[in-house]
Amino acid sequence: MMTKILIVDDIKAWQDYHKQVLKNIYNNAEFYTADCAKDGYQKLLEHNNSPFDIIITDLQMELDFEPKHAGEWFVEQIKELKNYYRTKIIIISGTSSIRPIAENLNVDCIPKSTAVNFPEAYDSVLL
């Protein structure tokens, strides 16, 4: 079965890195990307009838949602869509407050420094 994965990050190199790591975990994955939280939300709506299995999002993207991080707003929107209640959500960010934000949203997280130095960290939150 195809695993649908959405990656939301404003830096293309990070989108590519996440794809590369996830291709090693999932043989049969279909990848979608968005450069900001608003575009990510549009993708959620476009795929609402066939929701993503996994969503990876950055926290710091566009500044439209201050004082919240864009990724924080995005995760809140995902949680409002009933078709996404089974979707695995992971925040991967360099933000120092990543853990308390992820805990507050009840999602997993990986600091970007860990993601780069220990790609197996993806396994620990996905498998």
Side-chain angles (χ1 to χ4, degrees), residues 1-3 5 21-31:
M1 191 171 121
M2 184 75 69
T3 302
I5 301 172
V21 173
L22 292 168
K23 282 179 182 175
N24 292 327
I25 299 172
Y26 298 98
N27 297 336
N28 201 4
E30 189 174 15
F31 291 96

Side-chain angles (χ1 to χ4, degrees), residues 3-112:
T3 302
K4 281 179 67 174
I5 301 172
L6 174 62
I7 299 169
V8 182
D9 197 304
D10 57 337
I11 299 171
K12 173 125 178 42
W14 273 108
Q15 293 177 12
D16 294 343
Y17 181 76
H18 297 318
K19 271 192 226 175
Q20 178 189 336
V21 173
L22 292 168
K23 282 179 182 175
N24 292 327
I25 299 172
Y26 298 98
N27 297 336
N28 201 4
E30 189 174 15
F31 291 96
Y32 297 81
T33 58
D35 297 326
C36 66
K38 285 182 181 168
D39 290 349
Y41 184 62
Q42 275 308 118
K43 294 242 194 283
L44 293 179
L45 299 178
E46 290 166 15
H47 293 264
N48 195 32
N49 291 329
S50 174
F52 296 101
D53 300 297
I54 299 166
I55 298 173
I56 291 182
T57 185
D58 189 12
L59 279 176
Q60 296 175 295
M61 295 176 283
E62 70 266 46
L63 301 175
D64 304 24
F65 308 102
E66 290 188 334
K68 287 183 183 179
H69 293 292
E72 196 174 353
W73 172 85
F74 179 56
V75 172
E76 290 172 349
Q77 304 315 301
I78 299 167
K79 300 260 184 181
E80 292 292 317
L81 298 170
K82 69 177 189 326
N83 285 354
Y84 283 91
Y85 79 99
R86 292 166 115 170
T87 298
K88 180 73 171 171
I89 304 166
I90 304 158
I91 298 171
I92 302 182
S93 176
T95 309
S96 60
S97 55
I98 183 174
R99 292 209 184 282
I101 290 171
E103 286 172 10
N104 186 46
L105 294 168
N106 197 28
V107 297
D108 287 310
C109 68
I110 303 172
K112 280 190 171 175

